[in-house]
């Protein structure tokens, strides 16, 4: 039997804030600023979440995609 598969997926846009993994504080704000990651990758104006209490950075899907894109473009440039 054949049925039309309706797209079951909808884009879930959660505005729910996650608590900070470092300190548990929920005062996490969305911010866009220059970031340097642990591996030295620098990204100008990366939009991410930042804990107002301890300053820990949290990366959501959008931020992770931006990081991956930046990493890909930077590793393509350097031969290291
Ligand atoms: Zn925190």
């Amino acid at each position: 039997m054949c049925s039309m598969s309706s797209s079951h997926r909808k884009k879930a846009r959660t505005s729910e804030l996650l608590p900070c993994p470092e300190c548990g504080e929920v005062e996490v704000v969305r911010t866009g600023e220059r970031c340097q990651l642990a591996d030295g990758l620098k990204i100008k104006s990366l939009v991410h979440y930042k804990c107002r209490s301890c300053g820990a950075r949290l990366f959501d899907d959008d931020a992770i995609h931006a990081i991956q894109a930046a990493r890909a473009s930077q590793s393509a440039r350097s031969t290291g």
Side-chain angles (χ1 to χ4, degrees):
M1 134 172 188
C2 185
S3 65
M4 295 277 270
S5 61
S6 62
S7 65
H8 205 253
R9 287 174 148 194
K10 60 181 178 184
K11 229 177 177 182
R13 261 269 195 246
T14 52
S15 58
E16 222 176 305
L17 289 177
L18 296 171
C20 173
E22 299 293 330
C23 69
E25 182 61 64
V26 291
E27 292 278 302
V28 179
V29 293
R30 198 155 196 248
T31 181
E33 64 182 17
R34 190 167 155 279
C35 272
Q36 181 165 7
L37 303 184
D39 62 357
L41 180 71
K42 287 177 194 154
I43 304 171
K44 50 180 181 181
S45 82
L46 174 67
V47 177
H48 61 286
Y49 292 88
K50 190 172 179 181
C51 176
R52 289 213 297 203
S53 180
C54 74
R57 285 167 175 157
L58 311 171
F59 301 118
D60 64 358
D61 281 352
D62 286 348
I64 287 165
H65 289 155
I67 290 166
Q68 286 171 342
R71 181 168 283 147
S73 71
Q74 288 199 8
S75 64
R77 282 166 141 240
S78 73
T79 52

